[in-house]
Amino acid sequence: MSTELARALADERIEDVRFDSVSRALYSTDASVYQIEPVGVALPRSRDELRRIVQVCARLGCPITMRGGGTSQAGQAVGHGLVVDTSKHLNAVLEVNTAERWARVEPGVVLDELNAQLRQHGLRFAPDISTASRATIGGMMANNSSGARSIVYGKTIDHVIEQDVVLSDGSVAVFGPVTDRQLSDKRAGDSLEARCYRLVSELAQRHREEIDRRFPKVLRRVGGYNLDEFTPGRPFNLAKLMVGSEGTLGVVLSAKLNLVPLPRAKAVLAIQFHHLLESLAATPLILRHSPSAVEVMDKSILDHTRKSAALEALRRSFIEGDPAALLCVEFYGDRAEDLPPRLDALEHALRESGLGYRFFHALDLSQQARIWSLREAGLGLSMAMRDDAKSISFVEDTAVAPERLRDYIERFLAIVARHGTTAGVYAHASVGCLHVRPVVNMKTEAGVRQFEAIANDISDLVLEFGGALSGEHGDGLVRGPFMAKMFGPALYDAFRTIKATFDPTGIFNPGKIVDAPPITANLRFGPRYAARNPPTYFDYAEGGLAGAIEMCSGLGACRKTLEGTMCPSYMATREEQHSTRGRANVLRLTIAGRLGESGLGDAGVYDTLDLCLECRACKAECPVGVDVARFKSEFLADYWQRHGLSREARVLGHARTVAAWGSRLAPLSNWVAASRAVR
């Protein structure tokens, strides 16, 4: 397949295509527990190239998986076929209409970079996810992302107006709002686009009662296909089906997005609690005060901050003692002076109800930034474990009605305890969306069985509480196997019919949402995983070098470009290979014997590490402290031991001696040093 695909893409003059082992390794993982090596990687330079890539894959029957920042936590961004990365070249803001408050963008634009351009107009794209510094709009649309302030702004689906989409036959359709008359015209004919319009409207009509019965009545539901958006009486827009479809129905070339005004004033109340369940019981009362966000972190998440000096300093700036839980409640307002009375009123109401014991009022932006920085680091902090047993993402995305949150999480944690483990909790309490990460050792058979059993039990609990199995992270490989159970046989069959109609040959990201493989297939680790722990010069404590490398969970904070220092080589090249995550991935696969080299690596791994400046910004800024500079030193020591030192390395290694002799032989040495050969 790879040879034929490479030839076909070359014939279409697709320039940036890679089939080498290192590139395929780099794109074999995302931020999930899964790993699938693709046949190749393509980085299209234009929308026309992207369209022609789809046409080639359709002709050859080659699966195609779209990828942005690679921050998917459910395995949506990995696949056996061709992985197509839009983040390097297709990342432009094409048009901004400030009067009508919309922007047209390419799928690879990063959320923070889009909002940085919109800030001068007093506007932003509303969904504010914790991975905003590297997540792309294409990925957000695929997952139907939301974020901390979804109680005000909703989800991505609420802000996508229109999409230009490549369908599975290579044709391009514009999916946007249509009138009844336009819908009638769209349904006519025998084109693939017409068949899609007919099918969706017919399925929504036929299953309207089942949709009403089976779709969870919560704000944060992103599982399955969005048939509930097409029931009678609702505006018809097929972009609403594309959003949340995880790249399984088509490929987005560009999108027209709704924009919202920046808030004029903000304030945050940070509330400490003696018990986690107490903090969740306080949420319904807090919601009566109309906050813009209510975020919770439990003790296990907060305790991880002590492993980072910078985060511990943030913690001490607004937290006293050792609370069991922290709620961060944010308010928006038109005037700054309107907000302190609202914080006072909430504090008074909570004290009267005996809820919470310390209240920190953050009125200036710098104080608020410190609070949210700690909150946004929670995703990485919960995974900062050196042991083989790690806090992992697989049941972290459930959502229930906020008034049921306290009882639900009590039952949830009881299930985790019954299976012999613990979990960290952080959540969007305002909308009942929980991020609970059980600690599991995925390198053992017992751990994999534990992983599967917890997932099954939690899916039963979600059904009992009328909740959603996925509140924002999507189905992918980890929740796809539960779709029939969550939506019932009739709607699951409707989902499969949608997939088969939009994508008859099954090329678009197969195995996601419908017809998913077993939850334990394609694991990144698993019982057969074994990593060598070679002798090292540095002390890596328990777990050795392998354990230190495996701490990289794929969150991709090293791909940020607007702030901080990590990672300077990625900022310059926009290449996954030159990110901290990319380097850690290649080293992990190498020591696990997946790249076929001896020792720690060969020339391919050398090239991956070569642009690392050893600035150690990753050690300071990575949420889990992955230290690639130290890894590079270990690798080079092993590499030069096996291959011998180069002449250049020997000269630089004896710079003191060379300089001393240069001084003695000046000015002859200056003339030699300035010559072209020596330079």
Side-chain angles (χ1 to χ4, degrees), residues 566-585:
M566 177 183 72
C567 175
S569 49
Y570 174 77
M571 291 180 187
T573 66
R574 296 292 184 113
E575 287 278 355
E576 177 72 15
Q577 181 179 11
H578 301 308
S579 68
T580 301
R581 177 178 71 180
R583 293 172 181 131
N585 253 333

Side-chain angles (χ1 to χ4, degrees), residues 66-90:
M66 299 302 298
R67 183 179 174 110
T71 57
S72 303
Q73 293 184 58
Q76 296 96 321
V78 294
H80 289 290
L82 185 70
V83 170
V84 180
D85 182 351
T86 62
S87 66
K88 182 171 184 179
H89 303 298
L90 293 180

Side-chain angles (χ1 to χ4, degrees), residues 338-587:
D338 294 337
L339 295 178
R342 295 177 65 186
L343 269 61
D344 292 337
L346 175 57
E347 179 179 345
H348 178 73
L350 289 169
R351 288 188 183 277
E352 276 200 331
S353 300
L355 297 168
Y357 69 88
R358 185 177 185 272
F359 301 80
F360 179 85
H361 295 234
L363 300 176
D364 67 72
L365 292 178
S366 61
Q367 289 175 324
Q368 295 168 35
R370 287 196 294 271
I371 292 172
W372 291 125
S373 292
L374 193 76
R375 160 63 184 84
E376 289 170 5
L379 181 60
L381 294 173
S382 66
M383 306 175 83
M385 297 181 176
R386 286 186 177 273
D387 299 333
D388 286 341
K390 296 184 186 299
S391 182
I392 61 172
S393 172
F394 68 107
V395 289
E396 86 300 344
D397 196 30
T398 60
V400 299
E403 61 271 17
R404 306 194 71 184
L405 189 56
R406 187 250 177 236
D407 294 340
Y408 174 76
I409 192 60
E410 184 177 35
R411 294 273 303 279
F412 193 123
L413 293 177
I415 289 172
V416 172
R418 189 170 73 243
H419 286 285
T421 188
T422 59
V425 179
Y426 70 103
H428 309 299
S430 58
V431 287
C433 183
L434 299 172
H435 295 319
V436 184
R437 298 173 181 273
V439 176
V440 180
N441 183 354
M442 296 296 287
K443 294 180 180 179
T444 67
E445 288 188 13
V448 173
R449 287 196 301 270
Q450 186 183 45
F451 163 82
E452 185 176 21
I454 292 173
N456 275 296
D457 286 354
I458 295 302
S459 68
D460 291 337
L461 183 68
V462 170
L463 273 177
E464 180 186 338
F465 274 75
L469 197 59
S470 176
E472 64 178 335
H473 295 161
D475 300 327
L477 296 168
V478 78
R479 282 176 282 274
F482 297 100
M483 287 302 97
K485 178 179 182 178
M486 301 307 296
F487 288 95
L491 288 181
Y492 185 69
D493 187 61
F495 292 165
R496 295 187 76 227
T497 304
I498 289 171
K499 170 67 173 174
T501 301
F502 275 75
D503 183 22
T505 57
I507 63 166
F508 289 140
N509 211 12
K512 320 295 164 49
I513 299 183
V514 297
D515 300 319
I519 189 175
T520 56
N522 305 304
L523 293 173
R524 183 189 300 201
F525 296 112
R528 289 188 295 276
Y529 177 87
R532 293 184 297 270
N533 246 327
T536 59
Y537 290 87
F538 296 109
D539 180 12
Y540 295 94
E542 295 182 15
L545 177 61
I549 292 171
E550 289 166 5
M551 284 184 66
C552 177
S553 58
L555 293 173
C558 44
R559 289 171 59 98
K560 58 187 172 65
T561 59
L562 298 183
E563 61 181 8
T565 305
M566 177 183 72
C567 175
S569 49
Y570 174 77
M571 291 180 187
T573 66
R574 296 292 184 113
E575 287 278 355
E576 177 72 15
Q577 181 179 11
H578 301 308
S579 68
T580 301
R581 177 178 71 180
R583 293 172 181 131
N585 253 333
V586 167
L587 284 173

Side-chain angles (χ1 to χ4, degrees), residues 77-121:
V78 294
H80 289 290
L82 185 70
V83 170
V84 180
D85 182 351
T86 62
S87 66
K88 182 171 184 179
H89 303 298
L90 293 180
N91 54 18
V93 178
L94 302 172
E95 184 180 3
V96 176
N97 187 315
T98 56
E100 298 179 11
R101 291 183 181 170
W102 57 262
R104 192 176 300 278
V105 303
E106 291 179 325
V109 65
V110 171
L111 175 59
D112 271 358
E113 295 177 15
L114 169 63
N115 282 335
Q117 294 188 48
L118 296 173
R119 192 172 298 122
Q120 62 181 310
H121 305 296

Side-chain angles (χ1 to χ4, degrees), residues 60 70 80 113 133 155 192 218 305-306 330 355 416 427 433 655:
L60 298 180
H80 289 290
E113 295 177 15
S133 63
K155 300 172 290 190
L192 177 56
V218 294
T305 61
R306 303 184 189 281
E330 181 187 67
L355 297 168
V416 172
C433 183

